[in-house]
Amino acid sequence: MILVGFGILPSLAVLILTAFQLNASKEARETFRESASAKSLGNESIIKASLHDPLNQMRLIGTGASWFLYDIIYYGAAFNLPQVLASVFGDDTDLVTSSWRNLFVTSMGLPGVMHALRLFDVMGTKSLQGYGFCSLGVNCLALALCDAMDAGPKIMFTFCCCLIFTLNWAINVSTYVMPMESYPREVRSTFHGFSSGCGKVGGFIGGFFFSILYDRSVTLTFLVCALLSFIGVWVTWRYVEPFDDGVFSLKKRGDVVLYDQNVRRSEVMNN
């Protein structure tokens, strides 16, 4: 929980530095206020109009809920993984062996991210996220079953490695990319920030409540993770807009990818 709380420090540093920069002169402050006020009014009207768009409402549910569910699972499972390994191998393991074991399990996240990046062009963001939630749910079910049946340390260790791999394989990347692909350029950063904020709320819930849940039952902890993962599959299928099914016509302008949303927007409004 303390580590999660440290996430506020970069934002606080930016706020303080910005405050110092605005203390230049009275004329500069007045000019800044006028331009910022005009820009704020313009951005506010654009954001309000975008929020009234049924397509953007659906996408906000998709990107926000996906990030929320994923961070609950990630922080809930990853933070308790050392305790899971300690319960599997016993508390009498020496510090060096335990450290190398935790390091090996944690390192499984790197190939997961690298493999996900290679699959983006092949599968698309939505499909990758859906399969990511599905594989994560299956992995959590396997861990719950192994704990309930008192499986051997080698089997539990293998599935713990698979858990870290699946946590980082698809959703860890798609939750960042999906908001960038989902919204118009004028509101992209705002809606991306909203989705990210949903993830931070999920991370707090996962880190706090899963520690309590783990003390009661490891099996129940992973069953809850599996349930949330399969809910994530449904959220991805229902609310995340597909970009690779021909509904959107892709237009490339430099490095920016724009989507013609007229066809899909009319369909959503008619429904």
Side-chain angles (χ1 to χ4, degrees), residues 31-106:
T31 303
F32 176 82
R33 288 195 188 101
E34 293 175 0
S35 61
S37 177
K39 185 177 181 180
S40 176
L41 290 174
N43 289 340
E44 185 178 353
S45 62
I46 294 175
I47 293 173
K48 285 184 178 179
S50 299
L51 285 173
H52 284 86
D53 188 337
L55 182 59
N56 286 331
Q57 293 174 3
M58 182 181 68
R59 289 175 173 172
L60 273 175
I61 295 174
T63 58
S66 297
W67 214 328
F68 174 77
L69 292 170
Y70 170 68
D71 275 14
I72 291 179
I73 302 168
Y74 185 91
Y75 287 96
F79 278 12
N80 292 307
L81 195 60
Q83 288 85 348
V84 174
L85 293 175
S87 65
V88 170
F89 291 97
D91 295 328
D92 56 346
T93 308
D94 63 275
L95 180 60
V96 176
T97 303
S98 177
S99 299
W100 277 110
R101 187 182 295 127
N102 289 325
L103 179 62
F104 181 82
V105 173
T106 306

Side-chain angles (χ1 to χ4, degrees), residues 137-198:
V138 171
N139 201 130
C140 290
L141 278 179
L143 278 168
L145 182 62
C146 290
D147 182 74
M149 298 178 62
D150 293 327
K154 292 183 179 179
I155 297 177
M156 286 291 293
F157 182 74
T158 301
F159 279 111
C160 285
C161 292
C162 293
L163 175 65
I164 297 301
F165 182 89
T166 52
L167 278 172
N168 292 274
W169 172 56
I171 322 168
N172 191 31
V173 182
S174 65
T175 48
Y176 287 92
V177 176
M178 189 68 70
M180 299 300 295
E181 294 183 342
S182 299
Y183 306 110
R185 183 170 50 186
E186 294 79 10
V187 295
R188 186 176 298 156
S189 59
T190 301
F191 290 171
H192 192 289
F194 173 83
S195 303
S196 177
C198 292

Side-chain angles (χ1 to χ4, degrees), residues 236-258:
T236 302
W237 172 77
R238 177 65 180 84
Y239 291 104
V240 173
E241 188 65 30
F243 306 112
D244 54 351
D245 60 353
V247 172
F248 292 83
S249 59
L250 223 58
K251 299 177 181 179
K252 291 189 176 180
R253 186 180 302 168
D255 294 333
V256 181
V257 179
L258 304 177

